[in-house]
Amino acid sequence: MQVEYINPFIISAIEIFEKVAKIELKKSNLTVKKGTTPENEISIVIGLSGDFMGQVVYSFKRHTAQRVVSCMMPNASADKQMAYMESAISSMANMITGRATILLAGKEKIIYITPPTVAISAKTEMKYSDIPTLSTEFTSRFGTLQINVAIRPK
Amino acid sequence: MASILLADDISFIKLVQKEVLEKGGFTVIGEASDGIEVVEMYKKLKPDVVIMDITMPRMDGLNAMRAILRMDSNARIIICSALGQQQLIIEAIKAGARDFIVKPFDPGRLNLAIQKALK
Ligand SMILES: [Mg+2]
């Protein structure tokens, strides 16, 4: 797997977090994994198809996800923020992936994505087929966030 | 007051859209969560404008738009999607979308697209 495939996701994550939640993300490290298990409690899985295939997994600690959501809907009550937590985090993952596909697709290619699937548990076992995974960690004032990208051109 | 039907699988997006549209003076008369549901709701509600996501379960927004336009060739449908690839925008406009807005959307841009579609 080539490093350039993860760069669009890194650029998009920084942009979208800033735009939607006014949160500054800093890239901390990049690692290559085999069968990846996201390390945090809340994971959002989005599949890619079309001219690229594979999947992307966004993973957050619960308290980080809660704080991010509170920045995405600052005027809502705590109850409402709680009720919309999974949905708001899913929309963030959807927008980051969507923005990244614009950068990956260029002018000719078309990439489709699946609706986000939310997985909640301490450690979710996830198989990424045979595609190696590039994992990036970001730090923010609310904790870390991980993006795992296992994609390749069709 | 123009009536709007929203279609998006992510409820948070519809919450934000509804807030923006109501502030803009529009009435949201229905909220669908997938492509099949939006086609059924369109038949029943006959909204002035549909705000349509692309990535949704069961049927995607481009196919739902085509189904609605087959029933009502004057349907006003605005795509609002996280996908903003050039080829997809071309495909959507060719298929009959009045406008294509990429998420995260600017509230003013969404209201303006509806006003333009209504003219
Ligand atoms: Mg969607």
Side-chain angles (χ1 to χ4, degrees), chain A residues 93-108:
Chain A
N94 171 250
M95 288 185 282
I96 294 170
T97 312
R99 177 94 188 91
T101 63
I102 298 174
L103 303 173
L104 273 173
K107 286 195 170 136
E108 276 105 45

Side-chain angles (χ1 to χ4, degrees), chain A residues 87 91 98 101 107 110-111 113, chain B residues 9-12 55 82 85 87:
Chain A
S87 175
S91 78
T101 63
K107 286 195 170 136
I110 294 190
I111 302 165
I113 64 177
Chain B
D9 56 315
I10 299 177
S11 59
F12 175 73
T55 305
Q85 302 155 45
Q87 287 301 321

Side-chain angles (χ1 to χ4, degrees), chain A residues 1-2 16 25 41 50 67 69 77 82 114 124 139 145 147:
Chain A
M1 164 124 170
Q2 292 161 25
I16 300 287
L25 287 187
E41 298 152 280
R67 299 298 297 275
V69 171
S77 67
M82 215 38 171
T114 64
T124 312
T139 55
L145 145 75
I147 301 182

Side-chain angles (χ1 to χ4, degrees), chain B residues 88-112:
Chain B
L88 266 180
I89 296 176
I90 293 168
E91 188 186 334
I93 300 293
K94 269 190 194 157
R98 297 294 180 97
D99 206 337
F100 195 116
I101 296 172
V102 181
K103 292 172 193 159
F105 62 88
D106 169 58
R109 172 84 174 81
L110 184 62
N111 283 319
L112 198 68

Side-chain angles (χ1 to χ4, degrees), chain A residues 9-19 23 25 138:
Chain A
F9 293 88
I10 294 170
I11 294 165
S12 300
I14 291 168
E15 260 183 45
I16 300 287
F17 262 77
E18 174 60 41
K19 196 160 184 188
I23 295 173
L25 287 187
F138 296 89

Side-chain angles (χ1 to χ4, degrees), chain B residues 9-113:
Chain B
D9 56 315
I10 299 177
S11 59
F12 175 73
I13 297 288
K14 286 182 288 197
L15 180 79
V16 176
Q17 287 174 338
K18 195 173 174 183
E19 220 176 87
V20 165
L21 296 178
E22 286 177 349
K23 263 191 208 149
F26 303 109
T27 310
V28 174
I29 56 166
E31 298 182 27
S33 298
D34 63 57
I36 291 175
E37 196 181 15
V38 67
V39 175
E40 281 164 4
M41 288 179 89
Y42 188 89
K43 260 187 252 177
K44 272 190 217 138
L45 302 173
K46 292 271 175 251
D48 294 319
V49 178
V50 182
I51 307 296
M52 182 84 83
D53 182 24
I54 293 181
T55 305
M56 294 189 285
R58 300 212 291 164
M59 183 194 281
D60 71 48
L62 293 180
N63 283 321
M65 176 173 74
R66 290 186 184 101
I68 290 171
L69 286 168
R70 275 195 296 272
M71 293 188 307
D72 174 5
S73 60
N74 295 316
R76 302 178 189 96
I77 301 169
I78 294 167
I79 301 287
C80 184
S81 171
L83 295 171
Q85 302 155 45
Q86 196 166 309
Q87 287 301 321
L88 266 180
I89 296 176
I90 293 168
E91 188 186 334
I93 300 293
K94 269 190 194 157
R98 297 294 180 97
D99 206 337
F100 195 116
I101 296 172
V102 181
K103 292 172 193 159
F105 62 88
D106 169 58
R109 172 84 174 81
L110 184 62
N111 283 319
L112 198 68

